[in-house]
Amino acid sequence: EPEVTQTPSHQVTQMGQEVILRCVPISNHLYFYWYRQILGQKVEFLVSFYNNEISEKSEIFDDQFSVERPDGSNFTLKIRSTKLEDSAMYFCASSPGQGYQPQHFGDGTRLSIL
Amino acid sequence: AQRVTQPEKLLSVFKGAPVELKCNYSYSGSPELFWYVQYSRQRLQLLLRHISRESIKGFTADLNKGETSFHLKKPFAQEEDSAMYYCALSRITGANSKLTFGKGITLSVRP
């Protein structure tokens, strides 16, 4: 069964540095998402992406965050200048298309900001 | 605003006991409700969705619009059901809707 894959599984970065989290969605999926889960808290929506543009973003997704689909297969989340509070598990998800299609999640990337 | 409440953090039962994982939601429109499960060291997986009205691994969940609830139930718990369970909600207005999650509940099934 096809899966959403995320790399790396764990990223350790100094505060203030840029970080890029990578995701390969399922190949025929059209909608892409990023979520995050701070330790001990709920999974929170960050952004959704369709047709090469952001469809919706949350209050968390400020100017420090950006997403890109650079080559038709990868879907990346960039944090320009990381803060301690960005430490979290980041999940990528994708869904097939029209209608009420469920989202398929990747294993997540654990981001640790020092 | 969308909100999902899972009032309990942990439910511990013996094998063969009934299970009910509670979920309440708040949303002004017509939502779609889901249960996601995360087994140890695995990814979030869709368990079931209210629109399908199906039973997966013996679990069922009925949407009660009057009580704004979507409780997950299983009559006889198995050890392999031990996992983290998340209730989630999305708008029914179309595709590409974000999921709003509850905090999740850990189900522990003892032998």
Side-chain angles (χ1 to χ4, degrees):
Chain A
E1 184 175 335
E3 293 181 339
V4 175
T5 57
Q6 290 186 244
T7 55
S9 57
H10 189 191
Q11 174 81 43
V12 182
T13 301
Q14 291 287 334
M15 185 172 61
Q17 295 296 305
E18 176 183 284
V19 66
I20 297 176
L21 309 182
R22 302 180 191 280
C23 168
V24 179
I26 295 172
S27 63
N28 63 344
H29 284 190
L30 301 177
Y31 297 91
F32 314 112
Y33 313 82
W34 283 101
Y35 294 83
R36 79 172 185 191
Q37 185 176 30
I38 295 171
L39 187 63
Q41 299 186 24
K42 61 177 66 177
V43 177
E44 301 173 289
F45 168 78
L46 291 177
V47 66
S48 59
F49 192 86
Y50 169 70
N51 200 26
N52 283 320
E53 60 183 27
I54 291 173
S55 306
E56 185 176 5
K57 59 184 181 180
S58 72
E59 292 175 352
I60 304 167
F61 195 88
D62 62 21
D63 292 344
Q64 293 299 311
F65 290 86
S66 62
V67 289
E68 196 176 34
R69 188 157 162 80
D71 56 13
S73 64
N74 289 284
F75 179 51
T76 61
L77 174 69
K78 182 193 291 187
I79 309 175
R80 286 190 189 80
S81 178
T82 50
K83 301 185 279 262
L84 293 175
E85 52 264 38
D86 294 328
S87 295
M89 184 73 104
Y90 288 80
F91 294 104
C92 174
S94 66
S95 64
Q98 296 297 326
Y100 313 124
Q101 299 291 339
Q103 295 176 26
H104 298 255
F105 283 79
D107 282 334
T109 292
R110 181 168 299 284
L111 177 62
S112 299
I113 307 300
L114 303 180
Chain B
Q2 302 171 204
R3 187 186 302 167
V4 175
T5 302
Q6 294 180 253
E8 298 154 334
K9 287 188 176 179
L10 171 67
L11 179 63
S12 183
V13 301
F14 286 106
K15 177 182 171 182
V19 166
E20 182 178 49
L21 306 182
K22 296 187 188 299
C23 173
N24 288 91
Y25 67 89
S26 173
Y27 180 60
S28 56
S30 293
E32 184 172 13
L33 276 297
F34 305 84
W35 277 98
Y36 278 82
V37 60
Q38 188 173 32
Y39 300 104
S40 179
R41 298 189 181 87
Q42 295 187 28
R43 64 188 61 202
L44 277 164
Q45 305 172 34
L46 179 66
L47 181 61
L48 52 77
R49 47 197 291 215
H50 90 270
I51 203 167
S52 302
R53 301 187 66 81
E54 57 193 346
S55 173
I56 304 292
K57 299 184 179 183
F59 285 97
T60 59
D62 291 318
L63 180 61
N64 185 323
K65 292 186 178 180
E67 296 183 358
T68 59
S69 68
F70 188 58
H71 303 328
L72 183 67
K73 299 178 185 179
K74 184 169 183 176
F76 308 104
Q78 303 299 313
E79 289 179 68
E80 55 266 30
D81 296 329
S82 295
M84 191 81 174
Y85 290 80
Y86 295 92
C87 184
L89 173 157
S90 73
R91 296 189 300 272
I92 208 166
T93 50
N96 205 27
S97 294
K98 68 179 183 183
L99 287 169
T100 298
F101 286 88
K103 287 190 174 182
I105 180 170
T106 300
L107 174 63
S108 173
V109 182
R110 294 169 285 171

